[in-house]
Amino acid sequence: MYEHDVIVVGAGGAGLRAAIAAHEEGADVALVTKLHPVRSHTGAAEGGINAALREGDDWELHAYDTMKGSDYLGDAPAIETLCQDSPKETIQLEHWGMAFSREDDGRVSQRPFGGLSFARTTYAGAETGHHLLHTMYEQVVKRGIQVYDEWYVSQLAVTNEDDPEERDCHGVIGYDIQTGNVEGFVARDGVILTTGGLGQVFDHTTNAVANTGDGAAMAYRAGVPLEDMEFIQFHPTTLPSTGVLISEGVRGEGGILYNSEGERFMFEHGYANNEGELASRDVVARAELTEVNNGRGINDEYVHLDMRHLGEERIIDRLENILHLAEDFEGVNALEEPMPVKPGQHYAMGGIETDENGETCISGLYAAGECACVSVHGSNRLGGNALPELIVFGARAGRHAAGKDLGEAEISTGKTDDAEMGEVDTPVEPGAVASDDDGAVADGGATFADPTQTVEATLEAEHNRVESLLEKDDGIQQAELRSKLQKSMTANVNVFRNEDGLKQALRDIREVREEYQDVYVNDPSRTFNTDLIHTIEMQNLIDLAEAITLGALARDEFRGAHWRQENQNRRDDVWLKHTLLSWEDGTPQLWYKPTILEGENKTYEPKERSY
């Protein structure tokens, strides 16, 4: 059994920043992560960090761009917090030694990104996330913060009161990948989930294999609502063969999109008459697929992204990594020929419902980064807003978990008396999202005066689950189930969605869940057992795939990244509200809460969104 004041689960950008902030408040902090910190998926973030740093720009312009980009589903208090805090957090990274790209006069460089009214995206070549990770990991090492790397956290230790708002989180249970031991971690003050994205729900994604939505799924089963899960961002420029990301920085530097007829279609076909390739990501992704569907795609699959006209010197100075990606994965020399690109799953706008201090409705449980939904991005995230989200809200969650009073948050968590309940007309009954022995609060949690006892009880249940998986020697393997789930999600819950496809996805998800009851681990070993980890992750993918699809089926409008064939208009009179899913005795229950458009000094009035 290990014990610390604050346990941070995950060691990407949000986790590292949370740990540093908690340590600065005097807390004994530990990072528990299934990957070494510098292998975190944050390292694949190529683009940059949006921050209002220059004369002529300010946080209010950044906030307006972010609200517009969200298609007016972002919450003003969270958006304004992000935009106010991002400049000082970015400057802090520079003071810690982050190697930002610079202008000839020594100032940190900034370039245009999609949906921005000002060139406010700071960057470090095309490897911004990589530099950010190393910069903050150096600070973690310097401070002597404990890092338990290659530990897979599979369960939260939460008391089992009937009302989630009366529950307490006292720690986590982790599987030591190197030894095969299952151990408990007691958190005296708080647990912060910073586990990143859920891209492995889809089979064409920019996300790493490790991005299986672990934190969101664990919090959901513990009783925290998931918010706005239907909103999935499909990045317009990924490599067709692998899903590897081609940075928006290419378009920010002046890269051009062409169809098979050599047309610059963003302008020539009227998708974005003003901003063209620098429209928001949802607009560009839909435009590309529309070109393909209308017979103007290349090989009926992709379009071309051309940066040759930028010149070799500029490309090597600012985008050198893109040359290597294009050559390594597509065999293309981007100095001499255009790159093939198509939309791929990239980011989840939804996640664990939190306030702007990272708090959830369970006392002692926090979340930050992509696994959380503080509701900065609403229905569509602007490029360059993910990395500031990590550092801004990671820092706030770390300080708050360590006992720092940051003031009363303006976003409430959990259901209220005014919450609007909803139902989803689905072709099959929802059923339980997880099996009886999955360690969810209703079955595996316990209430004890001593937090250590709660962790010990959850540890015993989780140890038994792991042993039962390893001892079973026949059934179905997770790889078969994962492939089936991913293919259905990519086919039916992609950029373009319709009712029949969403209902088919639900049928497929629930068939996979039923088959998962007979899953077994083919590898019986106790050390470095990736088959065991993938099998546990598979349950998380099932839960989150269902949450995404239920939200998408319920929201019968077109907003941001969520396009519905039957309802191709934004319906503010009905849908200016957040979708939430709660775990109710093993069954997802849908409900809603209003969007907060009233900010510090202004109210953001919904307008037609055009670029």
Side-chain angles (χ1 to χ4, degrees), residues 499-511:
E499 183 175 353
D500 289 344
L502 294 171
K503 288 184 175 180
Q504 180 60 52
L506 277 180
R507 284 192 288 268
D508 293 339
I509 292 163
R510 287 161 181 169
E511 184 176 313

Side-chain angles (χ1 to χ4, degrees), residues 428-484:
V428 286
E429 291 300 315
V433 182
S435 61
D436 290 339
D437 61 351
D438 71 347
V441 166
D443 299 316
T447 300
F448 299 103
D450 181 1
T452 303
Q453 291 180 284
T454 302
V455 176
E456 287 176 343
T458 313
L459 171 60
E460 182 179 1
E462 188 65 3
H463 180 270
N464 292 339
R465 178 167 76 126
V466 169
E467 288 301 313
S468 67
L469 286 171
L470 290 172
E471 290 170 1
K472 195 171 186 296
D473 59 5
D474 62 6
I476 191 167
Q477 289 186 260
Q478 60 80 26
E480 181 179 342
L481 298 178
R482 186 177 293 212
S483 177
K484 183 175 180 178

Side-chain angles (χ1 to χ4, degrees), residues 490-535:
T490 296
N492 299 305
V493 199
N494 209 291
V495 173
F496 295 130
R497 301 169 174 180
N498 59 54
E499 183 175 353
D500 289 344
L502 294 171
K503 288 184 175 180
Q504 180 60 52
L506 277 180
R507 284 192 288 268
D508 293 339
I509 292 163
R510 287 161 181 169
E511 184 176 313
V512 168
R513 186 194 302 107
E514 183 65 28
E515 292 174 321
Y516 183 77
Q517 306 307 312
D518 195 34
V519 76
Y520 82 107
V521 177
N522 189 48
D523 179 1
S525 67
R526 300 284 167 167
T527 61
F528 294 98
N529 191 334
T530 54
D531 191 26
L532 171 64
I533 294 169
H534 292 330
T535 299

Side-chain angles (χ1 to χ4, degrees), residues 271-467:
Y271 297 111
N273 292 325
N274 295 318
E275 300 298 331
E277 287 85 2
L278 286 178
S280 67
R281 288 176 176 176
D282 60 317
V283 173
V284 181
R286 282 192 296 273
E288 290 178 357
L289 285 184
T290 299
E291 291 298 295
V292 172
N293 293 341
N294 288 341
R296 296 188 292 270
I298 298 157
N299 293 331
D300 295 323
E301 183 183 9
Y302 54 82
V303 297
H304 272 151
L305 175 61
D306 195 352
M307 64 177 183
R308 293 173 292 177
H309 57 286
L310 301 179
E312 182 174 352
E313 182 179 351
R314 185 174 177 182
I315 291 171
I316 290 176
D317 179 49
R318 302 187 177 194
L319 300 166
E320 182 180 6
N321 187 48
I322 303 304
L323 295 176
H324 301 310
L325 295 176
E327 176 67 34
D328 292 346
F329 294 105
E330 298 292 343
V332 169
N333 181 353
L335 291 173
E336 299 179 358
E337 54 189 323
M339 296 173 283
V341 294
K342 73 175 188 178
Q345 191 283 337
H346 181 59
Y347 190 89
M349 272 72 77
I352 303 164
E353 185 200 22
T354 74
D355 64 21
E356 60 265 33
N357 295 330
E359 286 190 285
T360 73
C361 64
I362 293 178
S363 178
L365 182 62
Y366 299 79
E370 189 175 351
C371 73
C373 183
V374 64
S375 201
V376 164
H377 310 302
S379 63
N380 174 69
R381 176 176 71 79
L382 294 183
N385 268 357
L387 293 183
E389 179 192 20
L390 302 183
I391 55 179
V392 167
F393 294 106
R396 293 178 71 89
R399 294 186 190 112
H400 202 278
K404 178 77 168 180
D405 184 6
L406 302 179
E408 184 178 352
E410 297 191 39
I411 301 176
S412 62
T413 59
K415 290 186 212 174
T416 66
D417 292 337
D418 317 344
E420 178 187 350
M421 306 307 292
E423 295 182 359
V424 182
D425 179 20
T426 62
V428 286
E429 291 300 315
V433 182
S435 61
D436 290 339
D437 61 351
D438 71 347
V441 166
D443 299 316
T447 300
F448 299 103
D450 181 1
T452 303
Q453 291 180 284
T454 302
V455 176
E456 287 176 343
T458 313
L459 171 60
E460 182 179 1
E462 188 65 3
H463 180 270
N464 292 339
R465 178 167 76 126
V466 169
E467 288 301 313

